[in-house]
Amino acid sequence: MEEKKKIVVSGIRSTGNLHLGNYFGALRNFVRMQDDYDTRYFIADLHALTTNPDPKALHESVKAVLAEYIAAGLDPEKNTIYVQSDVPEISEMYLLLNMHVGIGELMRTASFKDKARKALGLSGDGEEIEKDIIGNSSNNGRVNAGLLTYPTLMAVDILIHKADFVPVGKDQEQHLELTRRFARRFNSFYGVDYFGEPVNFNFGSAAIKVPGLDGSGKMGKSEGNCLYLADDEKTLRKKVMRAVTDEGPKEPNQPVSQPVENLFTLMELASKPEVVAHYRDAYADCSIRYGDMKKQLAADLETIVAPIRQRILDIRDNDEYLSKVVAQGAERARAYAADTLRDVREIMGIRKI
Ligand code: TRP
């Protein structure tokens, strides 16, 4: 008898086009898992609402991310591909699970603190933002409740499928930890053994953080340091050539500065090991020329991006095809979700009179 495939769930927020951080951190693994797992991938448009996008931009982005999922290699026949808001069972279970989530633990979540600080216009990373949040009555500085309960919604995305694996980048690990905690809490509160504890999955290696081109932290839309899957070749090359570096090594085996290490990290993702080794050696003996390294990196990234970009152009305006894909995906996802929601309602005591 064929063994039941393990269930995989993941999603990406629809807040613009997908960038190489999304690709290397998550999407590439989505594609690699599609043959051996029962894979369910969605576009997290409800999560995107937490940062109050323009309605038209949100809709465009849902379409763009869908086209980019498929263009990156996700086969709609092998995967359940859906839009989060097409599955209303998720919203209902989000309400139910919130009854078992503490506002304190949500307020301590790193992603919440970051975004709340941004909403309040606070810089630095002082620990105490609670007072600022409670005391702030201006509309502009409002920290919305959806932002606070973001981890509840994400936990529901995962638990509603009873997922085993959740391929995500390093920045999502805390959310996954909360998901497991909520699952355990639900089980123990109701004395059931209903939810398992889903884990990250990166084919045996550690979750990755893809750096940006501005010399600082991760590649991210709000950071404005992204290479997009939909960037044309010229744009991609220009962005790489403009990446921040330093004045170059002055003595052999000097420690590598953060901006240059970021370029090496990107190179490790895109280039052959011998190419990376060549530039590491050149750095160590001070013969490196960053211009050459960037040219090589741009060419190797182009090799990865070119076929994806072509497929994006082929399908992104094909509304008929795209809507067929998500209609089929929603139907499947709703069937899985409805089963779980029925059980959860029953366990919690919401029953017909
Ligand atoms: N929070 C994730 C991100 O920002 C997106 C996401 C929402 C997600 N729900 C999820 C990822 C469920 C994995 C599983 O990238």
Side-chain angles (χ1 to χ4, degrees):
M1 204 181 84
E2 202 189 330
E3 212 184 313
K4 201 168 159 283
K5 286 181 175 176
K6 295 273 190 204
I7 297 171
V8 173
V9 173
S10 196
I12 300 178
R13 261 176 313 144
S14 44
T15 52
N17 290 91
L18 296 185
H19 51 73
L20 288 181
N22 299 127
Y23 181 74
F24 289 121
L27 189 49
R28 187 175 58 156
N29 284 333
F30 295 5
V31 177
R32 287 176 179 163
M33 296 181 91
Q34 66 183 345
D35 291 312
D36 300 323
Y37 298 88
D38 176 350
T39 47
R40 308 165 189 188
Y41 299 123
F42 65 96
I43 298 150
D45 59 341
L46 299 176
H47 275 110
L49 284 175
T50 59
T51 45
N52 301 138
D54 167 69
K56 192 160 170 271
L58 177 66
H59 179 67
E60 286 305 314
S61 174
V62 170
K63 259 177 68 179
V65 173
L66 173 62
E68 287 161 358
Y69 269 5
I70 300 167
L74 285 184
D75 179 345
E77 295 308 316
K78 291 183 186 167
N79 306 278
T80 299
I81 302 176
Y82 61 98
V83 180
Q84 188 183 31
S85 62
D86 280 341
V87 182
E89 289 78 6
I90 292 170
S91 296
E92 183 175 341
M93 189 167 139
Y94 161 70
L95 182 151
L96 297 175
L97 189 65
N98 256 334
M99 307 305 168
H100 291 284
V101 172
I103 57 173
E105 61 192 339
L106 292 173
M107 286 182 87
R108 285 190 296 273
T109 307
S111 61
F112 172 72
K113 287 206 269 186
D114 278 357
K115 289 193 174 130
R117 240 179 243 122
K118 268 188 198 147
L120 293 165
L122 300 174
S123 54
D125 46 16
E127 278 304 297
E128 301 213 341
I129 49 167
E130 291 79 1
K131 273 212 190 100
D132 294 292
I133 291 172
I134 293 171
N136 195 297
S137 54
S138 91
N139 264 355
N140 296 337
R142 191 171 46 198
V143 177
N144 74 66
L147 201 56
L148 181 67
T149 53
Y150 186 114
T152 313
L153 182 57
M154 177 155 164
V156 169
D157 289 329
I158 297 166
L159 297 176
I160 209 162
H161 287 286
K162 308 237 197 75
D164 298 291
F165 298 121
V166 186
V168 281
K170 198 163 173 47
D171 60 326
Q172 297 300 315
E173 289 207 312
Q174 192 180 22
H175 291 148
L176 216 45
E177 187 59 51
L178 285 169
T179 301
R180 290 190 286 270
R181 200 201 288 172
F182 300 160
R184 281 195 296 276
R185 186 178 300 157
F186 182 92
N187 287 347
S188 88
F189 187 91
Y190 293 104
V192 293
D193 185 17
Y194 188 68
F195 290 119
E197 295 193 23
V199 292
N200 199 351
F201 188 95
N202 287 285
F203 288 93
S205 47
I208 59 168
K209 173 174 150 187
V210 181
L213 297 166
D214 54 354
S216 62
K218 68 164 186 167
M219 190 177 287
K221 275 163 261 199
S222 50
E223 270 58 57
N225 59 6
C226 295
L227 294 164
Y228 291 98
L229 291 174
D231 277 344
D232 61 37
E233 181 175 6
K234 213 171 125 206
T235 306
L236 187 136
R237 193 167 357 101
K238 251 203 221 151
K239 286 183 181 176
V240 174
M241 295 312 289
R242 281 197 202 134
V244 176
T245 53
D246 56 22
E247 64 279 19
K250 299 274 180 289
E251 49 191 82
N253 302 311
Q254 193 178 307
V256 183
S257 69
Q258 193 59 54
V260 175
E261 191 53 43
N262 287 353
L263 284 186
F264 275 116
T265 303
L266 285 171
M267 203 167 218
E268 273 154 12
L269 292 166
S271 307
K272 294 202 173 74
E274 55 271 28
V275 172
V276 184
H278 167 81
Y279 286 97
R280 287 268 185 209
D281 291 346
Y283 185 90
D285 69 14
C286 302
S287 66
I288 193 163
R289 286 173 31 194
Y290 292 144
D292 293 345
M293 180 184 179
K294 287 174 172 179
K295 255 189 225 150
Q296 177 76 47
L297 175 61
D300 292 338
L301 287 170
E302 173 62 15
T303 306
I304 295 170
V305 171
I308 299 176
R309 177 196 301 130
Q310 189 52 52
R311 285 193 293 269
I312 294 174
L313 295 175
D314 291 344
I315 58 175
R316 72 170 176 199
D317 294 321
N318 192 340
D319 286 353
E320 201 187 317
Y321 171 66
L322 295 177
S323 71
K324 215 179 83 199
V325 169
V326 286
Q328 172 182 303
E331 195 182 320
R332 288 191 211 148
R334 289 197 69 178
Y336 301 132
D339 282 347
T340 307
L341 180 60
R342 193 194 333 101
D343 293 345
V344 167
R345 290 178 61 124
E346 169 67 27
I347 291 168
M348 292 179 78
I350 298 177
R351 298 171 194 153
K352 288 264 178 311
I353 295 180

